[in-house]
Amino acid sequence: MRILLLGGTTEAMALLAALASVPHVTPILSLAGRTRAPDLPPTAYRLGGFGGVDGLRAYLRAEAIDRVIDATHPFAEQMTRNAVAACEGAGIPLARFTRPPWSAQPGDIWQRVATMPDAARALGTTPRRVFLTIGRLQVAAFEAAPQHAYLLRIIDPPDPLPALPHLRLLPARGPFTEAADRDLMQRERIEVLVSKNSGGAATYGKIAAARSLGVPVIMVAAPPDPSLRQFHDLASVLDWLHRPAP
């Protein structure tokens, strides 16, 4: 069985490691190539986009892919839509392997918003010290609120840099602990945290730290997944791979 694993997440790497011990399975990990130094596996992989739905469908046929597992980031909305369309066109089973979103706990001060522009508006007009943990692709949304002092934690810097007069970059790669994020937020006198609700343990430290410090969180909801099979644990997705194709 040849499996295309759309990756870039800890879930994808965990599944890739699990598949290494499954006989008669050949996984191919696909990475978008958006980070400058991605973690590359010892198994087969590819870097870069496919060229939209048509390009992905052509790849699936050329490589004789039997099944596709979308284990991309919960906010990789375009890639998921492309995978759904390409697999439907090629008649290939597709499943989504993703982490469940975080849920608010007692003590959390969350303001939930649907989009990044909504998050920028939710900061208000009074200047605040803002900790941005949203990746680099949508930072420009905060150009609508240039009065705030932003600390942007990022793996690679956005290109181009957004027109924000009070922006500082903090290059870092997770995972991040609660203790380290609490120290960071205290040292930087953070007044509000802006986060994607991406779930998982690797970046949950900032959420727990905000709770302990009483720092409000503007939480951006993940885009809704298209209706497709969705799994949150390794056992379930491995079981799906062993079932006959519908």
Side-chain angles (χ1 to χ4, degrees):
M1 180 186 295
R2 290 175 62 79
I3 299 169
L4 178 64
L5 177 56
L6 304 173
T9 61
T10 54
E11 288 75 22
M13 298 307 289
L15 178 56
L16 191 66
L19 291 174
S21 61
V22 178
H24 312 301
V25 166
T26 301
I28 302 169
L29 177 67
S30 176
L31 298 170
R34 286 178 175 165
T35 57
R36 292 178 180 171
D39 293 327
L40 299 176
T43 54
Y45 68 89
R46 63 176 303 283
L47 287 173
F50 293 94
V53 174
D54 291 342
L56 177 54
R57 188 184 301 120
Y59 178 89
L60 297 175
R61 289 171 172 159
E63 295 295 325
I65 299 298
D66 296 295
R67 297 202 183 190
V68 177
I69 300 173
D70 177 6
T72 56
H73 192 276
F75 281 76
E77 185 178 10
Q78 186 62 56
M79 187 67 249
T80 296
R81 285 201 303 263
N82 288 355
V84 170
C87 288
E88 285 178 352
I92 294 174
L94 166 69
R96 181 99 163 103
F97 179 39
T98 188
R99 61 196 83 156
W102 298 313
S103 298
Q105 304 298 314
D108 284 331
I109 309 168
W110 286 12
Q111 181 176 353
R112 295 174 177 85
V113 297
T115 68
M116 214 57 71
D118 291 340
R121 285 189 290 271
L123 290 172
T125 57
T126 302
R128 306 167 83 181
R129 297 181 64 81
V130 182
F131 187 20
L132 285 182
T133 60
I134 60 168
R136 64 188 174 92
L137 297 181
Q138 294 180 284
V139 181
F142 293 88
E143 291 178 346
Q147 70 273 25
H148 304 294
Y150 294 101
L151 178 66
L152 172 64
R153 184 160 67 190
I154 201 74
I155 296 175
D156 294 322
D159 185 18
L161 285 172
L164 290 168
H166 311 295
L167 173 68
R168 285 176 48 219
L169 302 183
L170 178 62
R173 186 189 294 267
F176 305 103
T177 67
E178 177 184 351
D181 275 349
R182 186 169 54 247
D183 289 346
L184 171 66
M185 293 167 73
Q186 286 179 311
R187 186 170 64 250
E188 296 290 339
R189 295 177 288 117
I190 296 299
E191 296 174 275
V192 60
L193 166 68
V194 180
S195 173
K196 293 177 175 179
N197 193 343
S198 52
T203 61
Y204 187 73
K206 63 189 176 185
I207 306 301
R211 181 190 308 132
S212 69
L213 295 172
V215 171
V217 179
I218 297 174
M219 186 67 77
V220 184
D225 273 332
S227 46
L228 72 165
R229 297 176 192 86
Q230 186 164 261
F231 303 108
H232 293 309
D233 63 274
L234 273 173
S236 296
V237 89
L238 291 172
D239 177 68
W240 175 74
L241 287 173
H242 284 94
R243 294 182 214 155

